[in-house]
Amino acid sequence: MNKQISSILYTKASCVIRRLSTSSSRCRSQPQPRAESAPQQLVGVVGLEIHAQINSNTKLFSGSSVRFTAPPNSLVSFFDASLPGTLPVLNKRCVDAAVMTGLALSCTINRMSLFDRKHYFYADLPAGYQITQQRRPIAVDGTLTYCFLGGKKRSQVIRKTVNIKQIQLEQDSGKSLHDDLRSQTLIDLNRAGVGLMELVMEPDMSCGEEAAAAVRELQLILQALGTCQGNMSEGQLRVDANVSVHKPGEPLGIRAEVKNINSVRYLARAIDYEIQRQIDILQRGGTVQNETRAYDSKSGFMPEPNLPPLIVYEDNASLPTGIDACQAVVVETIRKVLPELPSVKRDRLVQTYGILPEHSFTLVNEDGLVDYFEAVLKVTKMGPRKVIGWVIKELLGHLKQQDMSVSQSPISPSALAELLELQETGHISSSVAGQVFQEMWKSSGKTALQIVQELDLGLVSDTAQLHSICQKVVDSNPDEVNAIRNGNKKVLNKLMGLVQKETKGRADPVLVRAILQEKTLLKSDC
């Protein structure tokens, strides 16, 4: 059991993803005009089953610890290994997490839910069955509202809703590690018995982009609740996609299942690939095969004999006499501690700061970016609409280029706020502010003021000096001056650019504009 696995070479079949034609992979949310005589197009139908690992220190039915980086088979209790005589003990934290998730997704919380045994043989399932909830899960009939950017410029926030059939508690299986060099499979039971929430979504989506947006929104909600860390690379959020195609108005087609997808980006690609694959088969006159294993309701499940029905209570007043409130799961208590959810946060940002909906979408979808944005606003007089431009275009742009998270930014919120204050108070121009930002990014630790002083980037506001520079620009560009005097005032911007070039972007733009207007609109006495 405690044998160390020093080197495992695990090869996994990978799905080949190819680029889809625009016409066949387009979502229903962005319909395109077509000729009336054209045949009705096949469209995709997507439903998801999502396994979210519950954020708990111990497993669902045992006291074994949960830790991703632990050595193989080091976190395994007698119950996890299914030794005779062991019994499950339900982890209250996991029940609380499932109830909180259900409330956040507008589910109905079943006051009584049941545990079942799902029997099947798998090498990393020691008992030969999985304890799950099938007949009566802990939560049912919820909704998830999600958003994604669409439209011609992908700046329009498109809002859609997917129905959630149920949320059920269940235990995870172990992990099979395949050693191809030695032609053997080794078993790691560290994950066996870890608590999962399985969220079953109805087939309400039509393409990979919608499914990916829904999963990302769910991931944000789970992280906000603290019920699941949602790290897909560590298997904390795994997605199975049920995909079919049909003509609108006709019965749904035969579905195929794409299992264990652990990346939002690849989820979208895999689903769109599967939709296109099925369309190609049908257009060639073929038949799509049902490639998911069927569920036999008669032989697949039986009631779990070692676990009584799981009861949750509406409030403390409904607790039976003798029940310790600390040991009971009380819905009203959990409802009171629900945090601000992503959709509510987006609406608050728009209403409070007057920013665009698409900007709120970007802020919330990037981990830590809302806190960064609001921290900058607290210490600068610059308006939110200007600050959002800096945070999204400059900061987030640099982070994306270097594949960094917000927490890894070399420029802190207070440092960026200092830079913006220098611009807002007229000490530096907007172009110089961009230069200083670049220097701050490269020279972590130096303040904006230090960089401005070291590089002599302060705003030139000496009137006599600016008059001299403006006169030189006017004398050197007689054609532009004549155009301005003939009514083409837009040309003035070109002259302003030339002045800024002379001053390396340090000239006060308001003062420069006033001087140039004076020198170009008044006829010379010469």
Side-chain angles (χ1 to χ4, degrees):
M1 264 287 237
N2 294 319
K3 181 180 178 181
Q4 300 291 321
I5 300 177
S6 59
S7 176
I8 296 295
L9 297 178
Y10 177 55
T11 59
K12 188 174 181 181
S14 59
C15 180
V16 179
I17 307 298
R18 62 184 174 87
R19 186 175 298 277
L20 303 179
S21 65
T22 305
S23 60
S24 58
S25 64
R26 187 176 290 122
C27 287
R28 282 194 306 241
S29 58
Q30 301 173 49
Q32 299 295 315
R34 59 183 176 87
E36 291 186 6
S37 59
Q40 195 173 21
Q41 297 296 311
L42 292 165
V43 297
V45 178
V46 181
L48 300 177
E49 297 173 9
I50 301 171
H51 292 84
Q53 179 179 316
I54 298 171
N55 185 18
S56 172
N57 293 328
T58 55
K59 296 182 181 180
L60 183 58
F61 297 116
S62 80
S64 298
S65 298
V66 176
R67 193 167 69 253
F68 177 69
T69 56
N73 294 313
S74 63
L75 305 176
V76 185
S77 71
F78 290 153
F79 176 79
D80 303 329
S82 194
L83 296 187
T86 57
L87 292 173
V89 178
L90 183 58
N91 182 344
K92 179 178 180 293
R93 159 61 188 164
C94 293
V95 180
D96 288 341
V99 171
M100 177 175 279
T101 301
L103 292 175
L105 296 173
S106 303
C107 291
T108 298
I109 307 299
N110 283 327
R111 297 301 180 262
M112 183 183 76
S113 58
L114 304 173
F115 285 100
D116 305 296
R117 287 183 177 182
K118 180 181 180 182
H119 287 84
Y120 61 94
F121 174 77
Y122 208 69
D124 52 23
L125 193 69
Y129 61 83
Q130 176 194 39
I131 300 179
T132 182
Q133 293 184 313
Q134 181 67 26
R135 294 169 297 156
R136 192 170 179 85
I138 195 164
V140 295
D141 300 333
T143 58
L144 171 67
T145 299
Y146 60 95
C147 305
F148 57 94
L149 296 178
K152 292 182 179 179
K153 298 182 179 179
R154 298 197 62 78
S155 60
Q156 178 187 354
V157 177
I158 298 173
R159 189 182 298 260
K160 305 204 92 178
T161 298
V162 58
N163 291 302
I164 296 173
K165 180 182 178 182
Q166 66 189 57
I167 301 175
Q168 61 195 50
L169 284 166
E170 62 185 29
Q171 58 181 172
D172 207 347
S173 61
K175 186 176 183 180
S176 297
L177 304 166
H178 306 293
D179 185 349
D180 290 339
L181 290 179
R182 298 178 179 85
S183 298
Q184 63 182 0
T185 295
L186 303 175
I187 305 298
D188 178 10
L189 293 180
N190 278 351
R191 204 172 67 185
V194 169
L196 300 177
M197 294 179 288
E198 181 177 356
L199 299 97
V200 181
M201 294 182 178
E202 299 285 8
D204 296 334
M205 294 161 283
S206 62
C207 66
E209 183 178 26
E210 289 186 12
V215 171
R216 176 56 178 151
E217 185 73 8
L218 176 64
Q219 185 182 40
L220 290 171
I221 290 172
L222 296 176
Q223 290 169 341
L225 297 173
T227 57
C228 173
Q229 293 178 348
N231 188 333
M232 299 188 77
S233 64
E234 295 183 4
Q236 294 169 352
L237 202 66
R238 307 194 295 273
V239 183
D240 298 341
N242 296 304
V243 183
S244 65
V245 298
H246 75 139
K247 291 181 179 179
E250 295 185 0
L252 298 181
I254 298 172
R255 68 182 177 91
E257 186 176 26
V258 185
K259 292 185 68 68
N260 286 328
I261 306 169
N262 60 359
S263 161
V264 171
R265 180 177 60 177
Y266 291 132
L267 170 66
R269 293 182 180 179
I271 288 173
D272 285 341
Y273 174 83
E274 178 59 27
I275 290 172
Q276 184 63 59
R277 185 187 73 85
Q278 294 185 24
I279 289 175
D280 290 345
I281 290 173
L282 294 175
Q283 288 179 340
R284 292 196 304 267
T287 302
V288 175
Q289 298 297 315
N290 186 333
E291 295 178 330
T292 54
R293 294 179 178 175
Y295 156 60
D296 186 341
S297 60
K298 293 183 179 179
S299 61
F301 286 91
M302 65 169 280
E304 167 54 57
N306 295 322
L307 287 166
L310 171 60
I311 307 296
V312 299
Y313 301 93
E314 178 59 33
D315 50 35
N316 287 334
S318 63
L319 290 174
T321 304
I323 296 291
D324 184 356
C326 294
Q327 296 300 317
V329 178
V330 181
V331 172
E332 189 57 35
T333 302
I334 296 173
R335 196 191 308 276
K336 288 178 180 177
V337 296
L338 284 174
E340 184 180 48
L341 297 178
S343 59
V344 177
K345 185 174 291 186
R346 292 189 192 98
D347 292 342
R348 175 180 64 79
L349 291 170
V350 172
Q351 293 170 7
T352 303
Y353 302 116
I355 62 176
L356 297 174
E358 55 264 32
H359 288 161
S360 73
F361 180 85
T362 303
L363 283 178
V364 173
N365 275 33
E366 294 295 332
D367 186 31
L369 200 59
V370 171
D371 292 338
Y372 190 105
F373 170 67
E374 294 190 311
V376 174
L377 285 177
K378 287 179 181 178
V379 284
T380 179
K381 296 183 180 67
M382 182 175 280
R385 282 180 172 258
K386 290 183 180 178
V387 172
I388 194 70
W390 278 93
V391 169
I392 290 180
K393 293 178 182 177
E394 297 296 336
L395 178 78
L396 187 58
H398 278 69
L399 291 173
K400 292 289 187 184
Q401 285 177 1
Q402 300 186 28
D403 196 23
M404 297 168 64
S405 65
V406 175
S407 61
Q408 295 172 314
S409 170
I411 301 177
S412 67
S414 58
L416 179 59
E418 181 192 0
L419 170 61
L420 301 187
E421 275 297 282
L422 290 175
Q423 179 187 341
E424 190 70 7
T425 55
H427 289 84
I428 58 174
S429 66
S430 58
S431 59
V432 165
Q435 291 179 248
V436 176
F437 183 91
Q438 299 286 353
E439 291 296 324
M440 291 171 68
W441 191 270
K442 293 184 293 185
S443 310
S444 181
K446 283 189 179 181
T447 67
L449 184 58
Q450 286 175 330
I451 294 171
V452 169
Q453 291 173 342
E454 288 177 9
L455 301 181
D456 190 24
L457 296 174
L459 209 61
V460 177
S461 55
D462 180 85
T463 306
Q465 183 181 0
L466 288 178
H467 266 281
S468 175
I469 295 171
C470 288
Q471 188 62 57
K472 177 182 175 183
V473 168
V474 167
D475 292 342
S476 302
N477 296 274
D479 292 340
E480 284 75 9
V481 172
N482 286 332
I484 294 169
R485 288 174 176 170
N486 288 328
N488 190 351
K489 296 183 179 180
K490 291 184 179 179
V491 180
L492 189 69
N493 292 330
K494 179 180 178 180
L495 299 185
M496 288 186 66
L498 294 172
V499 172
Q500 292 292 0
K501 185 177 180 180
E502 286 285 329
T503 61
K504 297 181 179 179
R506 296 166 53 222
D508 183 338
V510 176
L511 191 52
V512 168
R513 178 174 288 275
I515 294 172
L516 286 174
Q517 285 176 336
E518 176 187 341
K519 292 184 177 295
T520 56
L521 297 181
L522 294 178
K523 298 286 186 179
S524 173
D525 293 330
C526 298

